Amino acid sequence: MPADFDVVIVGAGAAGLSLAYRLCAPDSPVSLSVALVDAPPGPLRAPPRTWCFWEPPGGAYDSILAASWSRLRVRAADGVPTVTRLSRLRYKMVRSDAFEALVGQRLSRTPTLVRIEATVSGVRDGASGGEVLTRGDQGERVLLRGRLVFDSRPPRRLPPARTTLLQHFGGWFVRAERAVFDPTTADLMDFRTPQPAHGLSFGYVLPLDSHTALVEYTEFSPLALDADGYRRALRHYTHHVLGLGPFRITAQEHGVIPMTDARFPRRGGRSVYHIGTAGGATRPSTGYTFAAVQRQSRAIAARLRTGRPLRVPAPYGRRARMMDAVMLRALDSGRVDGADFFGRLFRGVPGERLLGFMDGSSRMHEDLLMGLRTPVVPMLRTVVELPFRPRRERPPALVPPAPTDHEESTS
């Protein structure tokens, strides 16, 4: 196995797989040798999960979508719904196993790509590029050298920040005995959940058909729950709020996403770049990552495939990052009520304009108009205060709790 490549990609999650997929497009004018390094099965490899994003119909991954929706709903704490009908966009869900299979088909037809299963112990600059230190399943050490190295591993410690919350969640894929779901409508936020003392919580329902859905309990708060905490919250939500009746749990997912105004460095050295969450692709105010990963991957691949000098764009602009910092601080300080804050936005802002903000693609006048739909005085107070708040390190536990039973029945 050769140890020298044009590109070495560390990690085969959404960011690593997306970049490999773009680099190995069959119409590439430049043939690049690529090594994709994935962790062996075990605690270092991410469990199966879902990714959601919005874009017009006809996207690159439409053939593998688990579902898509043209109607989005937000429910206030009193149950009053706000429904957004999308005309140009669709809210889409991809499951990681289907995404991995699609990417794997292209990679298997690319003779210049090598997939390596190994534990990465270090990434560093070398004399003529980047170096990735790995250990195989037999304990053998292999040094991979790449002209460029893209590291998608989540950071062990978050950079210093003024505000850091965690978006943490537990989810069940459920199969109900009765037809209780509306497959045309996705529930983005349902605030009929008990609110934590610090932060906010909501339910999240993505129907696959009238009997089947992904149901999640989500919190924005400083600390994650344990596995029993998510189980209790999900049982309350499915039984007492949604009233699903008897149902079967067919799969589970858990996750923890940093919501922080920390500055994530896009470079780890002269020849080493961070991508994905480690490169700032997670939107601080919402936790969405997949769409920014696609933009980042397309931009990187377009330059490398045409032989142009590499430039890794920032996932979000300065104005978007500033607005996120203000929103996070206002939530964390308790100056705004989270359920009321998001409810106002969805009631007062056209749906596709709001999704543009959440995706970091809105224009300045749209952001100003949206700002008028928020609690103006608390937000202005936060704007004035923010420059004087110091950035501090905070190493949150980003490892999600292990799921319990894979399949069970409940009634």
Side-chain angles (χ1 to χ4, degrees):
M1 181 178 61
D4 294 273
F5 301 88
D6 292 315
V7 174
V8 178
I9 302 171
V10 179
L17 288 172
S18 298
L19 180 56
Y21 184 80
R22 302 288 179 180
L23 289 175
C24 295
D27 60 345
S28 175
V30 174
S31 179
L32 299 169
S33 59
V34 179
L36 176 62
V37 185
D38 192 12
L44 295 179
R45 180 176 288 190
R49 56 230 180 266
T50 59
W51 297 308
C52 291
F53 58 103
W54 47 88
E55 65 176 7
Y61 308 124
D62 274 15
S63 64
I64 59 166
L65 294 179
S68 68
W69 303 270
S70 60
R71 288 162 42 102
L72 306 178
R73 182 167 54 207
V74 172
R75 290 189 183 272
D78 60 4
V80 175
T82 299
V83 178
T84 295
R85 291 171 174 82
L86 304 177
S87 59
R88 186 180 60 87
L89 303 175
R90 295 294 181 270
Y91 191 64
K92 302 179 178 183
M93 181 173 78
V94 171
R95 300 188 71 168
S96 60
D97 52 355
F99 183 74
E100 291 167 9
L102 175 72
V103 174
Q105 290 175 6
R106 174 176 288 185
L107 302 188
S108 66
R109 298 192 296 266
T110 305
T112 57
L113 181 131
V114 176
R115 298 194 70 163
I116 300 169
E117 195 171 275
T119 301
V120 174
S121 57
V123 176
R124 66 193 184 193
D125 272 324
S128 58
E131 296 181 343
V132 180
L133 290 75
T134 71
R135 186 183 297 273
D137 56 1
Q138 302 300 319
E140 70 279 12
R141 295 183 178 182
V142 178
L143 175 64
L144 304 174
R145 294 185 295 267
R147 181 168 55 87
L148 295 169
V149 173
F150 296 93
D151 191 351
S152 70
R153 294 173 300 167
R156 293 185 179 181
R157 295 176 65 93
L158 296 176
R162 292 167 296 197
T163 308
T164 297
L165 294 173
L166 300 179
Q167 179 182 155
H168 52 97
F169 56 88
W172 289 343
F173 280 90
V174 302
R175 175 72 182 175
E177 290 186 6
R178 297 184 292 113
V180 292
F181 300 113
D182 176 3
T184 69
T185 305
D187 284 288
L188 284 189
M189 289 181 164
D190 182 348
F191 292 107
R192 295 176 294 171
T193 53
Q195 296 300 307
H198 188 171
L200 74 151
S201 73
F202 55 89
Y204 182 54
V205 183
L206 300 181
L208 307 184
D209 57 50
S210 60
H211 290 265
T212 309
L214 170 60
V215 180
E216 289 191 349
Y217 171 81
T218 301
E219 281 192 16
F220 296 176
S221 60
L223 298 173
L225 306 179
D226 59 19
D228 285 338
Y230 296 111
R231 186 186 303 110
R232 289 192 298 270
L234 281 165
R235 285 191 177 278
H236 176 270
Y237 185 56
T238 54
H239 286 74
H240 301 291
V241 178
L242 297 180
L244 299 185
F247 64 85
R248 183 165 50 92
I249 302 169
T250 60
Q252 303 183 44
E253 67 174 30
H254 297 73
V256 182
I257 301 170
M259 303 178 69
T260 174
D261 65 354
R263 300 188 184 106
F264 287 84
R266 297 196 299 280
R267 298 193 73 156
R270 295 187 311 276
S271 305
V272 178
Y273 294 83
H274 298 297
I275 58 174
T277 294
T282 297
R283 186 72 198 265
S285 59
T286 64
Y288 283 101
T289 306
F290 191 81
V293 161
Q294 301 312 308
R295 292 195 300 268
Q296 196 177 58
S297 299
R298 283 194 298 267
I300 293 171
R303 287 186 169 268
L304 296 185
R305 290 172 55 202
T306 55
R308 290 179 290 168
L310 178 62
R311 178 181 173 273
V312 179
Y316 305 101
R318 182 177 298 178
R319 189 176 73 253
R321 296 196 303 271
M322 180 61 187
M323 294 180 70
D324 286 345
V326 172
M327 195 207 80
L328 286 176
R329 174 59 187 158
L331 287 175
D332 190 42
S333 65
R335 290 191 187 119
V336 300
D337 176 87
D340 178 69
F341 177 88
F342 285 104
R344 283 194 191 196
L345 287 181
F346 278 92
R347 286 193 303 271
V349 179
E352 296 195 349
R353 180 183 298 174
L354 183 56
L355 292 182
F357 164 75
M358 294 169 68
D359 200 27
S361 60
S362 55
R363 293 168 291 184
M364 181 178 292
H365 76 277
E366 294 174 326
D367 292 343
L368 291 174
L369 290 173
M370 190 169 59
L372 296 175
R373 299 292 184 178
T374 66
V376 175
V377 173
M379 299 299 277
L380 287 177
R381 180 182 171 190
T382 305
V383 169
V384 173
E385 173 202 65
L386 204 59
F388 301 98
R389 287 189 58 80
R391 293 182 179 270
R392 295 188 175 95
E393 287 193 0
R394 178 188 183 279
L398 295 181
V399 178
T404 51
D405 302 322
H406 177 72
E407 183 168 331
E408 62 183 79
S409 296
T410 184
S411 60

